[in-house]
Amino acid sequence: MTGTTLDDYTDRYARRVRGMTASEIRALFAVASRPEVVSLAGGAPYIAALPLDAVGEMLGRLGSEHGVTTLQYGIGQGTLELRERICEVMSLSGIDAACGASPEDVVVTVGGQQALDLVARLFLDPGDVVLAEGPTYVGALGVFQAAQAQVVHVPMDADGLIPEALETAIADLARAGQRVKFLYTIPTYQNPTGVTLSEERRERVLDICERAGLLVVEDDPYGQLGFEGEAPAPLRARRRDGVFYLSTFSKTFAPGLRVGWILAPHAVRDKLVIASEAQILCPSGFAQAAVATYLSTMPWRQQLKVYREVYRERRDALLDAMADLMPEGTSWTTPAGGLFVWASLPDGLDSKAMMPRAVAARVAYVPGTGFYADGTGTDAMRLNFSFPPPERIREGVRRLAGVMEQEIAMRRVFGAVGGAAGRRGRAGSDVPGPDLA
């Protein structure tokens, strides 16, 4: 025997398991949930803003008065009632019957994460390429990794995905003989940067993908959480062919219910349902009834306004604290909606290496490396503003700025620690830098 392992099953796993790694965000949860730690790490919505008494009564009635149906098995596609309500929700963003949105083409999923997984199961073979913004949602990277696909990042700037860079990536991959299956994008209030793809670029990105025969997977969890006027219309509101629209009620109602959906091209719907049935048999009837009843009987549009006001105040608290306290050389995005700010660090700082010292100072964030498939992004971090109250946000920034100042001071004394591996240059790079401040 040449070595030992704590896992006696290592040589029995399927090949797809060998590259699986833990999410950097999930690994932080145990620490970030401690009461003494100010967590700017997760993306948890502020559930206390809901009318919890009314929601609790509604849930009780669903069990006591309608339990015979809500606690029973259901159909794989999801209930017609909920799919009809979902179409009402999408119509607020311009995705309506005029552009081909129908309850018949909606598939209810267990949150947005299952929606991503279903698309990957249908379209990705091992070795296929997915194009995605750099940086991008860490949960999507996990799904694509499990599908044994390769993620190639496309650079962003203050206006979102750069169309010229998308064209270049497609051409380079074609010359290399690699098979690109789709573009995965979060065009509105993107996770992790908070950046929104501009109106003009939306049409260009769609045109580029159409010419290349590339599917588009549009992930839109945050589109209804804008603080500064209406967001640009989703990509799916502009084109129906070749665009998969994914969303969830996790950010606008309750993540604990785990209800999301896919609006798919009609020809694909049945395959999505078959794939979902193979995974979960059917989505939770109780969770579906809870969301459908909430949308039918409660003032959910007014609740969206409440969330927007709460998150606007907290975003402003974070941005004001960063402007007041962050060391020179730090830059950050100014999101018009969503839950996140992306910060680029002063030269020489490494967000991943700095994390243990930040936790010791009782503040948590997510290192930028979690949002890149290739491990780069050490010179950036994601900060969440949706959950802590404004005064805690400011205290968290104060603690974080103190850690960064100490890191800068140590660098002055001892010089660079480690190398530049994992970093990306800022000007014209994959990491939004000072031009996004």
Side-chain angles (χ1 to χ4, degrees), residues 370-383:
F371 304 98
Y372 285 95
D374 55 9
T376 53
T378 59
D379 57 351
M381 62 175 69
R382 191 193 75 177
L383 303 175

Side-chain angles (χ1 to χ4, degrees), residues 328-330 344-350 379 408 411 423 426:
E328 184 178 354
T330 312
S344 296
L345 305 183
D347 287 341
L349 296 195
D350 182 323
D379 57 351
I408 292 169
R411 183 177 173 83
R423 298 176 62 84
R426 291 176 180 169

Side-chain angles (χ1 to χ4, degrees), residues 4-144:
T4 60
T5 175
L6 295 177
D7 187 347
D8 294 334
Y9 300 90
T10 298
D11 60 349
R12 305 186 187 191
Y13 288 129
R15 282 190 294 272
R16 74 179 71 90
V17 176
R18 294 174 187 172
M20 287 185 179
T21 57
S23 159
E24 301 208 15
I25 297 177
R26 299 296 169 195
L28 282 170
F29 272 8
V31 170
S33 62
R34 296 191 333 226
E36 70 273 17
V37 175
V38 178
S39 177
L40 304 174
Y46 187 59
I47 296 300
L50 284 169
L52 292 176
D53 289 346
V55 170
E57 290 176 8
M58 177 194 78
L59 295 176
R61 289 194 302 272
L62 287 177
S64 62
E65 300 175 15
H66 305 284
V68 171
T69 54
T70 61
L71 300 178
Q72 186 56 273
Y73 287 116
I75 62 172
Q77 187 175 356
T79 66
L80 177 59
E81 180 186 10
L82 178 56
R83 288 184 279 122
E84 289 174 341
R85 299 291 83 74
I86 285 171
C87 285
E88 292 176 11
V89 171
M90 290 192 296
S91 69
L92 294 182
S93 302
I95 303 174
D96 55 22
C99 62
S102 163
E104 292 303 309
D105 295 329
V106 171
V107 177
V108 177
T109 61
V110 182
Q113 195 68 18
Q114 194 210 4
L116 274 170
D117 190 71
L118 289 176
V119 172
R121 284 172 182 266
L122 257 60
F123 290 102
L124 294 179
D125 289 316
D128 283 345
V129 175
V130 174
L131 293 174
E133 293 139 344
T136 194
Y137 169 49
V138 64
L141 292 177
V143 167
F144 303 147

Side-chain angles (χ1 to χ4, degrees), residues 136-162:
T136 194
Y137 169 49
V138 64
L141 292 177
V143 167
F144 303 147
Q145 179 188 65
Q148 298 177 277
Q150 175 189 355
V151 176
V152 174
H153 290 294
V154 181
M156 303 170 63
D157 62 17
D159 291 319
L161 188 76
I162 301 171

Side-chain angles (χ1 to χ4, degrees), residues 268-315:
V268 184
R269 182 211 53 203
D270 287 345
K271 290 183 174 59
L272 285 169
V273 174
I274 292 168
S276 182
E277 288 173 339
Q279 278 187 323
I280 62 167
L281 191 61
C282 62
S284 163
F286 188 85
Q288 291 182 83
V291 175
T293 304
Y294 173 76
L295 295 172
S296 301
T297 65
M298 292 194 180
W300 60 273
R301 291 176 177 84
Q302 183 61 38
Q303 185 61 42
L304 285 176
K305 295 179 182 178
V306 171
Y307 274 133
R308 289 173 190 141
E309 289 301 319
V310 169
Y311 296 155
R312 179 191 291 114
E313 179 187 27
R314 296 178 181 205
R315 177 206 60 178

